[in-house]
């Protein structure tokens, strides 16, 4: 029987060097790579992706594993929202009370990008999966998740610069990179 475990996922801004050390331990086979369709998605205890800008990255975790999708809005296959929904449904049990999600990326000034991101968010709402949001970044960024400490790591040039300037308030650092930052009540800045 599944137990409803109360845990908070942490979101930590890191510089490129720290991100490299953290993600060095994540196998290349758990790297969500180009061409960024559901076919490259991974489900594992740890996962990572890079070069997120107008794409949408959705991570759904149960505290043990993460399903990470990196979907490019300019790839025709990613406009088949039914295929994306069915893929997710095959990979996770949406009735698991421990599910939490994080949605990254998208550029809201581009319709295809915004529509894809909105669709993914609508699924999380429909399935009652709490979801933190980091949308419309100022530049490309990288994101990784490690389940052993239930933490998300995000880096970019702007994040690295903010950290070098000794801005250690994670929320402020993220708000300097993303136009929209919203944490679910189950998450926290690390």
């Amino acid at each position: 029987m599944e137990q409803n475990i109360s845990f908070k996922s942490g979101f930590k801004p890191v510089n490129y060097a720290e991100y490299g050390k953290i993600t060095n331990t994540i196998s290349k086979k758990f790297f969500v790579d180009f061409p960024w369709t559901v076919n490259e998605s991974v489900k594992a205890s740890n996962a990572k992706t890079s070069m997120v800008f107008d794409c949408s990255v959705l991570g759904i975790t149960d505290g043990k594993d993460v399903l990470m999708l990196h979907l490019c809005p300019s790839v025709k296959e990613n406009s088949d929202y039914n295929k994306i929904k069915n893929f997710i449904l095959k990979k996770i049990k949406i009735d698991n009370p421990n599910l939490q999600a994080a949605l990254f990326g998208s550029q809201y000034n581009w319709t295809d990008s915004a529509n894809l991101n909105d669709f993914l968010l609508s699924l999380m709402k429909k399935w009652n999966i709490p979801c933190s949001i980091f949308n419309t970044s100022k530049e490309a960024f990288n994101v990784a998740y490690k389940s052993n400490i239930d933490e998300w790591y995000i880096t970019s040039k702007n994040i690295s610069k903010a950290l070098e300037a000794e801005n250690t308030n994670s929320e402020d650092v993220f708000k300097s990179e993303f136009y929209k930052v919203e944490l679910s009540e189950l998450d926290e800045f690390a």
Side-chain angles (χ1 to χ4, degrees):
M1 180 173 182
E2 294 247 4
Q3 228 179 327
N4 192 352
I5 300 169
S6 176
F7 60 92
K8 286 186 177 267
S9 294
F11 290 83
K12 184 175 183 178
V14 293
N15 64 34
Y16 280 117
E18 187 176 0
Y19 185 85
K21 288 178 191 171
I22 292 164
T23 59
N24 250 0
T25 61
I26 299 175
S27 168
K28 176 81 171 143
K29 69 181 179 179
F30 303 124
F31 175 63
V32 185
D33 204 357
F34 180 82
W36 302 311
T37 70
V38 292
N39 299 324
E40 290 75 42
S41 300
V42 299
K43 185 175 181 186
S45 59
N46 305 313
K48 60 185 176 180
T49 193
S50 64
M51 300 303 297
V52 183
F53 186 62
D54 54 359
C55 298
S56 290
V57 171
L58 176 64
I60 304 172
T61 180
D62 60 7
K64 297 175 192 163
D65 288 317
V66 63
L67 171 63
M68 185 181 282
L69 297 88
H70 182 157
L71 304 172
C72 179
S74 61
V75 175
K76 185 171 177 25
E77 179 179 335
N78 292 335
S79 62
D80 185 348
Y81 293 167
N82 230 16
K83 179 178 179 178
I84 295 168
K85 179 181 87 172
N86 290 334
F87 175 84
I88 295 169
L89 289 171
K90 286 180 185 172
K91 295 290 184 178
I92 64 167
K93 295 179 183 176
I94 62 166
D95 61 345
N96 180 338
N98 297 319
L99 294 179
Q100 292 178 226
L103 183 58
F104 303 92
S106 181
Q107 292 296 312
Y108 273 87
N109 58 352
W110 180 23
T111 303
D112 291 345
S113 181
N115 288 345
L116 177 59
N117 200 271
D118 289 346
F119 168 74
L120 295 171
L121 184 58
S122 74
L123 289 179
M124 297 306 96
K125 288 178 179 177
K126 178 181 178 183
W127 296 334
N128 295 313
I129 299 174
C131 186
S132 291
I133 302 165
F134 293 77
N135 285 148
T136 310
S137 63
K138 295 177 181 170
E139 64 187 349
F141 63 95
N142 304 334
V143 62
Y145 175 80
K146 294 193 97 175
S147 66
N148 63 329
I149 51 179
D150 192 21
E151 201 158 68
W152 293 91
Y153 302 95
I154 302 104
T155 192
S156 70
K157 287 180 190 173
N158 284 338
I159 288 172
S160 291
K161 284 180 190 174
L163 293 171
E164 286 169 15
E166 298 185 17
N167 182 353
T168 55
N169 180 301
S170 295
E171 183 175 6
D172 290 344
V173 171
F174 284 131
K175 287 184 175 180
S176 74
E177 175 62 38
F178 298 94
Y179 289 103
K180 183 177 183 181
V181 176
E182 292 179 7
L183 287 189
S184 88
E185 62 186 26
L186 299 178
D187 293 333
E188 62 190 0
F189 295 107

